[in-house]
Amino acid sequence: MASLLGGVSLATMLCVFVGIVFWVSLTLRDDLREQLTSRDESVLGMLLSHQIKQKEASTLLFSFEVLAEEDLWTSLLEVASAEGVFAAQLYDEEGTLLRSTSEALKPVAIAEEGLVSAILGDGWTEFSDSVALSEIMDLGYRQDQLIPVQTVYLPLHSSQGEFLGIGRVLIEGSALRSSFELLNQRIVTQALVAGGLGSLLLVLLFFVAWTSLNRAKEAVARQARRLRKANAELAMLARTSALGSVTAHLIHGLRNPLAGVQQAVRGGGLGSEGAAENDELREIREASSRMQGMVDEVVSLLQGAEGGVDDFDLTVSEIADDLKAKFANVSEKGKVRFDWNAAGEGELDSYRARVVMLVATNLIQNAIDASPEGGLVQVTLVGEEKGLEVTVKDEGNGIAADAMEEIFMPKVSAKEGGAGIGLPISSQMARYLKGRLTCRNRDSVGAAFKLFVPWEG
């Protein structure tokens, strides 16, 4: 939607810009055409004024006298001898035809506006690039043809400013038409160049602005995601902190009932009255054992956090062995295959080691759930210079790209019976140890989780 809106905006701006360029070009063309048209009018007007002054100087004795019709016609004929002029007519002050260079030349009716303009000393010019010769003169037996004609109307005034009449001069318009055609070509070329270069510049500027806007939008979106993630983590931290004492009481209360369940199962209880142990009973016994083990781990962890006497260090291989022993039953059943690896040296105090094993246990259990029947789960512990690195790889379907950024945020679990907080709690526990928990999809199949914890927090 944003891309479509941007395209429509760009197209609209280009249309407006191109329209403005061509409007300016057409306006400039009309102004230049008017200047070209009035050029002959200006030159012929100055020549006629000069001829009238010469005639007045040579023929008039008194300043109140005016030139006769013959003298005015002679002055106009001098002007009509200029190059390109092929006919001329003399009209009196009321617009009536007095003289013409050819009897075949048709007279024209001079409008009142034209007379007013001439009285004020202003001439005018008319141009047509295709006029039938029959519209200008009586052809008689001659064949009609189309010609370009420029008609110039020149006001005649005495030296004293008295209006004497109007001179009409017809000029062959081929030269003016050629000038107009050349002008049109140049104007169109300049408009195309200006429009093209301007449009290109506009597109570049729009692209830069649009790119910058998208970058800013992405930065805001990333910041919003980080804030949402931070808020979720803070909320998770607040909830887990508030539930700390409740969890301790809950673990204490579960310990004795779980022990009773295990004792009943081992003795063939649960109403079996000494019946042989069946598969369902075996599953119940294994589930209760796992629950008892988890409770014992949490109790041990709580005792260590409170400064208990159980204070010792665990090596990398010892941590690996404990994890391997914890999932021995799973390996024996053949649901998945394990590849255990431990390398490097280093030791973690018992408290930090228990936290690491809690996180690793959750990661391994997730890998088992994600892998297909008979799949391979790889668990690697490496003691590095700065700390312990635990990597758990599975052969599941991997993690969707849209879920990768929020993998460590609380959400509804896709697993049956899942709470959706295992990974968020694991990530929080890693940060509690000044470490980090990361995740990525493997190149071939499945996902890989990597836990790094420094030797000392």
Side-chain angles (χ1 to χ4, degrees):
M1 184 63 183
S3 300
L4 178 61
L5 181 60
V8 172
S9 300
L10 178 59
T12 302
M13 286 191 294
L14 288 177
C15 290
V16 172
F17 175 75
V18 172
I20 292 175
V21 169
F22 277 92
W23 176 77
V24 172
S25 300
L26 291 176
T27 303
L28 178 61
R29 185 203 65 174
D30 293 341
D31 291 341
L32 293 176
R33 283 172 66 104
E34 184 176 352
Q35 293 179 16
L36 289 174
T37 303
S38 61
R39 178 184 58 189
D40 292 331
E41 173 193 334
S42 177
V43 173
L44 294 177
M46 288 188 295
L47 289 175
L48 181 58
S49 178
H50 177 69
Q51 291 295 328
I52 290 177
K53 289 180 179 179
Q54 283 189 333
K55 280 291 182 181
E56 287 178 339
S58 61
T59 59
L60 300 181
L61 298 177
F62 302 101
S63 59
F64 58 85
E65 293 181 299
V66 294
L67 292 177
E69 176 184 322
E70 185 67 27
D71 295 327
L72 293 175
W73 177 240
T74 302
S75 300
L76 185 59
L77 289 179
E78 289 291 336
V79 173
S81 63
E83 182 180 0
V85 177
F86 66 88
Q89 289 178 327
L90 177 64
Y91 292 83
D92 63 12
E93 302 93 322
E94 297 179 355
T96 303
L97 178 64
L98 300 177
R99 300 286 184 97
S100 178
T101 55
S102 172
E103 293 182 356
L105 189 64
K106 294 180 178 180
V108 295
I110 300 177
E112 184 177 352
E113 307 90 71
L115 290 174
V116 174
S117 178
I119 291 173
L120 297 176
D122 298 324
W124 68 96
T125 301
E126 298 173 353
F127 173 76
S128 177
D129 59 357
S130 181
V131 177
L133 193 59
S134 59
E135 296 181 8
I136 301 175
M137 60 181 60
D138 295 324
L139 298 179
Y141 63 88
R142 290 176 295 180
Q143 186 176 2
D144 198 4
Q145 59 180 321
L146 298 176
I147 60 173
V149 176
Q150 178 184 3
T151 304
V152 180
Y153 293 88
L154 302 172
L156 283 68
H157 287 83
S158 66
S159 300
Q160 304 300 321
E162 184 178 352
F163 177 57
L164 304 176
I166 299 175
R168 178 175 179 243
V169 179
L170 279 70
I171 305 173
E172 202 280 325
S174 298
L176 186 59
R177 182 174 62 183
S178 298
S179 298
F180 284 172
E181 292 174 353
L182 180 60
L183 175 63
N184 289 338
Q185 292 176 2
R186 290 180 177 177
I187 290 294
V188 170
T189 301
Q190 292 176 1
L192 291 176
V193 172
L197 293 178
S199 298
L200 179 60
L201 180 60
L202 189 62
V203 169
L204 291 176
L205 292 175
F206 184 86
F207 176 76
V208 172
W210 185 259
T211 302
S212 300
L213 182 62
N214 282 336
R215 288 177 179 173
K217 181 180 178 181
E218 291 174 0
V220 171
R222 286 195 300 270
Q223 185 68 20
R225 286 195 296 270
R226 284 197 293 266
L227 289 174
R228 187 167 62 251
K229 183 177 180 181
N231 288 335
E233 291 175 351
L234 289 174
M236 185 66 183
L237 180 60
R239 288 195 295 269
T240 53
S241 297
L243 290 175
S245 59
V246 177
T247 303
H249 287 289
L250 180 62
I251 293 298
H252 179 73
L254 284 174
R255 198 172 190 186
N256 291 334
L258 277 175
V261 171
Q262 284 187 301
Q263 184 178 2
V265 171
R266 282 196 295 267
L270 296 177
S272 62
E273 297 182 354
E277 184 179 59
N278 53 30
D279 291 340
E280 183 178 356
L281 191 60
R282 189 163 48 250
E283 290 181 2
I284 295 174
R285 184 179 61 186
E286 291 174 357
S288 63
S289 297
R290 286 199 304 270
M291 292 174 63
Q292 184 66 49
M294 294 173 61
V295 169
D296 290 341
E297 285 181 355
V298 174
V299 170
S300 177
L301 188 61
L302 291 173
Q303 290 175 345
E306 294 172 359
V309 295
D310 188 15
D311 188 10
F312 54 88
D313 293 336
L314 292 176
T315 64
V316 176
S317 59
E318 289 172 339
I319 297 174
D321 291 340
D322 287 347
L323 290 172
K324 186 174 182 181
K326 186 178 296 187
F327 290 94
N329 291 336
V330 178
S331 181
E332 291 174 357
K333 288 183 178 181
K335 182 183 185 305
V336 295
R337 295 174 293 119
F338 280 99
D339 180 14
W340 299 91
N341 295 282
E345 298 179 354
E347 295 180 344
L348 286 174
D349 64 71
S350 58
Y351 177 73
R352 296 172 66 80
R354 291 192 188 97
V355 176
V356 168
M357 284 190 286
L358 280 177
V359 175
T361 299
N362 182 53
L363 298 179
I364 296 171
Q365 188 61 52
N366 287 344
I368 294 172
D369 295 338
S371 297
E373 189 77 21
L376 179 64
V377 175
Q378 299 175 347
V379 182
T380 304
L381 287 81
V382 179
E384 298 181 343
E385 179 182 356
K386 295 183 178 180
L388 174 63
E389 182 178 273
V390 181
T391 304
V392 180
K393 300 179 181 178
D394 62 57
E395 292 186 344
N397 296 325
I399 300 170
D402 57 348
M404 183 65 74
E405 290 187 2
E406 299 182 352
I407 190 68
F408 297 117
M409 295 177 63
K411 58 184 179 300
V412 177
S413 177
K415 297 190 298 182
E416 183 178 356
I421 60 173
L423 287 176
I425 292 177
S426 296
S427 177
Q428 183 177 322
M429 294 173 73
R431 289 196 299 273
Y432 173 72
L433 297 180
K434 302 298 188 293
R436 61 182 177 274
L437 179 60
T438 58
C439 172
R440 65 174 178 84
N441 282 322
R442 302 173 63 186
D443 296 334
S444 56
V445 62
F449 285 83
K450 184 177 293 185
L451 169 67
F452 176 80
V453 175
W455 298 121
E456 295 182 359

